[in-house]
Amino acid sequence: AKIGHTVLIDMEAKRAAGHPEQGMPIPGTKMKGFQLELKEDQDEPWKQFVQAITSSSKGGGMGQMEQKTFAVAFPQDYRKKDFAGTTVDFTVLVREIGESRPLERSEE
């Protein structure tokens, strides 16, 4: 996957190292079929997802049905208080990779 693609992902978050509940799944974070647009100007924390999905040790981005676990650092002012200022480990599976297309504007 690369910038300009839209991916369909499954994900789940677990408490990161240093947290008293390290490795424990975080309730309400398991999602299937989440659509994420891979673009440069994505807001935090999604910018970190884009970076992780579009880069891999093999060069290039993650492939279809590839799974990866990476840490996401949430900003102090993040709207969900239980995530604000914390680092969380996300396991992401890329189910589908599609091309992003600009929305068609209807001429009336």
Side-chain angles (χ1 to χ4, degrees), residues 4-107:
H5 285 154
T6 296
V7 291
L8 213 55
I9 59 175
D10 292 351
M11 64 179 163
E12 183 175 21
K14 293 185 178 179
R15 298 286 180 202
H19 191 281
E21 297 173 355
Q22 176 181 343
M24 298 297 294
I26 301 171
T29 62
K30 193 170 192 167
M31 287 193 240
K32 287 193 179 293
F34 183 83
Q35 190 171 326
L36 178 63
E37 191 178 343
L38 302 178
K39 58 183 185 176
E40 299 276 357
D41 60 349
Q42 196 66 269
D43 292 334
E44 288 291 355
W46 298 110
K47 184 179 227 169
Q48 295 171 71
F49 281 81
V50 171
Q51 197 170 11
I53 292 169
T54 58
S55 64
S56 76
S57 56
K58 297 178 289 231
M62 291 174 68
Q64 197 162 320
M65 298 313 288
E66 187 175 341
Q67 185 170 297
K68 182 187 218 180
T69 300
F70 52 91
V72 173
F74 285 81
Q76 290 289 349
D77 60 353
Y78 191 65
R79 59 184 166 73
K80 288 191 174 179
K81 296 288 177 243
D82 49 341
F83 286 93
T86 65
T87 298
V88 174
D89 290 334
F90 276 88
T91 299
V92 170
L93 171 70
V94 174
R95 287 213 166 269
E96 291 179 29
I97 301 171
E99 296 289 329
S100 290
R101 291 183 195 84
L103 292 172
E104 296 289 324
R105 296 187 188 274
S106 57
E107 301 290 325

